[in-house]
Amino acid sequence: MPENSKNKNNKSVYILGIESSCDDTAAAVLKDGKIISNKVANQAVHEQYGGVVPELASRAHQQNIVPVVDAALKTAGIKKSDLSAIAFTEGPGLLGSLLVGTSFAKSMSLALNIPLIGVHHMKAHILAHFIDDNEMRLPEFPFLALTISGGHTQIVQVNNHFDFKILGETLDDAVGEAFDKSAKIMGLPYPGGPLIDKYAQEGNPKAFKFTKPKVSGLNFSFSGLKTAILYFLQKQTKENPGFIQENLADLSASIQYTIVQILMDKLKLAVAQTGINRIAIAGGVSANSGIRKALLQAQNDLGWEVFIPKFEYTTDNAAMIAIVGYLKYLDGKFSGYDVVPKARMPLDY
Ligand code: KG4
Ligand code: ZN
């Protein structure tokens, strides 16, 4: 944590973080970088559609944002007037969803006359490792971040809090989509990633073999895997309509095993190419027990230093937005009121 962790008057710095990039409305408060509240309202409305419906997500954010921010301030035990700055997700994400958080943050910042700080959602996933939470170790720079979520799959070299370099990324589907789409093919509800993880616990990872994509360098591809699973299951269910139900655990374990192998192969290559063996995972898929196990194995066998965030900081949350807000606050990196949310936002933005 930077040395001047308080503001000029030696008063504590309270940052409110707001996250609304997809289907979770979240608010959190940090005091001098330390987590003092972290609230999230999930949107169950999308389950019946098998994926996030942008229009419904924006409406649900409108309903949730005031109560969620209110709850975060109450739990933190502070008043609005105690806040030093408001940090919000500027992008990337669903534009309608981002607009709700952006407009809310602007209004609150104007009303309280405190700085407004736009935050990059994917950098926030990575910098979640710097939330002061007693139980987490801080990675030293430089480190490699494996960012795995429903929208992204990247290996990023992180040189300092503000210097990120993408070494490789997916050319098509994100790894979270690979989990969710495979789950959908098996008839599981959205989001299927956590369900595959759950059923995989009881299954044999070597029961079914799916070929890994051949992509050179540090880039990834997951769309072929989804198609391979689809064709395999179509063939099997033609012969035995109960095939999926009877083999759900083995199928889940085999799919998870294949995905984890793809990620680990690329990570090993990234470590070999950069000579950096500090690995931090980020994003919703880092909650997956298979990738956590494989990384801990590599820590033991290959001498890597592995950083795995607490579960609540892996999926979309506002504590990660607040920590970036705090780091930018200390650096005087504020946004103007003409800031607009961005559906797409490169990592070097
Ligand atoms: O980072 P995140 O909350 O949202 C964004 O995409 O920004 O990631 C959500 C993704 C979904 O695809 C979900 O299925 C996946 O993370 N996920 C998991 C697990 N928990 C969440 N995938 C596999 N295993 C899990 N335990
Ligand atoms: Zn995310």
Side-chain angles (χ1 to χ4, degrees):
M1 211 35 61
E3 265 169 34
N4 60 333
S5 62
K6 307 240 163 114
N7 74 8
K8 287 186 208 94
N9 317 320
N10 217 23
K11 266 173 54 186
S12 283
V13 176
Y14 290 96
I15 306 286
L16 171 67
I18 294 172
E19 152 65 24
S20 73
S21 67
C22 189
D23 60 339
D24 294 317
T25 320
V29 180
L30 295 187
K31 178 185 181 184
D32 300 323
K34 198 172 175 60
I35 185 87
I36 55 173
S37 73
N38 192 21
K39 301 283 173 192
V40 57
N42 308 113
Q43 301 179 1
V45 63
H46 308 286
E47 266 167 39
Q48 58 188 302
Y49 299 99
V52 176
V53 184
E55 171 76 23
L56 297 179
S58 321
R59 282 192 223 174
H61 283 306
Q62 285 285 10
Q63 281 177 337
N64 294 340
I65 196 152
V66 171
V68 169
V69 168
D70 219 37
L73 291 171
K74 275 213 179 77
T75 302
I78 62 163
K79 300 185 293 293
K80 286 194 276 281
S81 54
D82 293 323
L83 290 170
S84 315
I86 316 264
F88 69 99
T89 308
E90 188 177 334
L94 300 171
L95 200 61
S97 290
L98 290 166
L99 269 166
V100 179
T102 307
S103 306
F104 186 91
K106 277 189 190 182
S107 318
M108 199 162 170
S109 143
L110 271 169
L112 296 169
N113 196 23
I114 54 174
L116 177 70
I117 303 173
V119 171
H120 192 297
H121 181 87
M122 297 315 296
K123 287 185 189 172
H125 268 302
I126 295 173
L127 295 174
H129 284 275
F130 294 90
I131 296 167
D132 182 355
D133 176 315
N134 295 333
E135 293 165 47
M136 296 210 309
R137 285 178 306 129
L138 307 184
E140 258 175 58
F141 298 115
F143 64 89
L144 299 180
L146 176 68
T147 308
I148 40 180
S149 75
H152 291 84
T153 308
Q154 291 177 330
I155 298 179
V156 180
Q157 181 173 327
V158 186
N159 294 321
N160 63 46
H161 290 131
F162 303 113
D163 181 4
F164 298 74
K165 184 176 161 208
I166 298 175
L167 302 181
E169 61 190 331
T170 185
L171 304 175
D172 41 55
D173 287 351
V175 63
E177 284 178 287
F179 271 109
D180 295 340
K181 288 180 180 174
S182 306
K184 196 172 178 181
I185 296 169
M186 293 196 290
L188 299 175
Y190 175 86
L195 292 171
I196 291 194
D197 193 0
K198 182 176 143 207
Y199 295 123
Q201 311 292 329
E202 311 289 322
N204 171 9
K206 307 258 172 79
F208 304 104
K209 197 168 161 42
F210 300 107
T211 39
K212 290 189 270 177
K214 288 184 185 59
V215 186
S216 65
L218 294 175
N219 287 332
F220 298 90
S221 166
F222 286 102
S223 65
L225 178 65
K226 169 195 66 194
T227 315
I229 293 168
L230 177 67
Y231 289 162
F232 174 73
L233 291 179
Q234 278 175 344
K235 185 162 171 275
Q236 297 299 326
T237 47
K238 215 181 248 171
E239 288 161 20
N240 169 15
F243 182 81
I244 295 176
Q245 219 37 50
E246 288 161 24
N247 295 284
L248 193 55
D250 282 349
L251 283 167
S252 298
S254 302
I255 292 168
Q256 179 162 305
Y257 177 77
T258 311
I259 293 176
V260 169
Q261 289 295 304
I262 294 170
L263 296 173
M264 289 303 293
D265 285 352
K266 295 290 180 179
L267 263 185
K268 283 177 191 160
L269 188 59
V271 170
Q273 284 185 5
T274 60
I276 300 169
N277 67 355
R278 276 183 294 277
I279 313 290
I281 49 170
V285 182
S286 56
N288 182 264
S289 63
I291 188 70
R292 287 178 173 233
K293 236 181 262 166
L295 283 166
L296 292 173
Q297 189 80 40
Q299 181 159 266
N300 268 330
D301 299 351
L302 307 173
W304 291 5
E305 202 182 342
V306 168
F307 298 86
I308 300 178
K310 274 176 79 176
F311 183 77
E312 58 260 48
Y313 306 137
T314 57
T315 45
D316 286 350
N317 67 87
M320 69 183 195
I321 304 303
I323 189 64
V324 182
Y326 178 61
L327 294 165
K328 288 180 102 170
Y329 180 90
L330 296 180
D331 229 45
K333 292 184 161 70
F334 303 135
S335 302
Y337 286 111
D338 56 350
V339 63
V340 287
K342 295 156 192 76
R344 290 174 173 278
M345 206 173 169
L347 206 62
D348 56 8
Y349 185 84

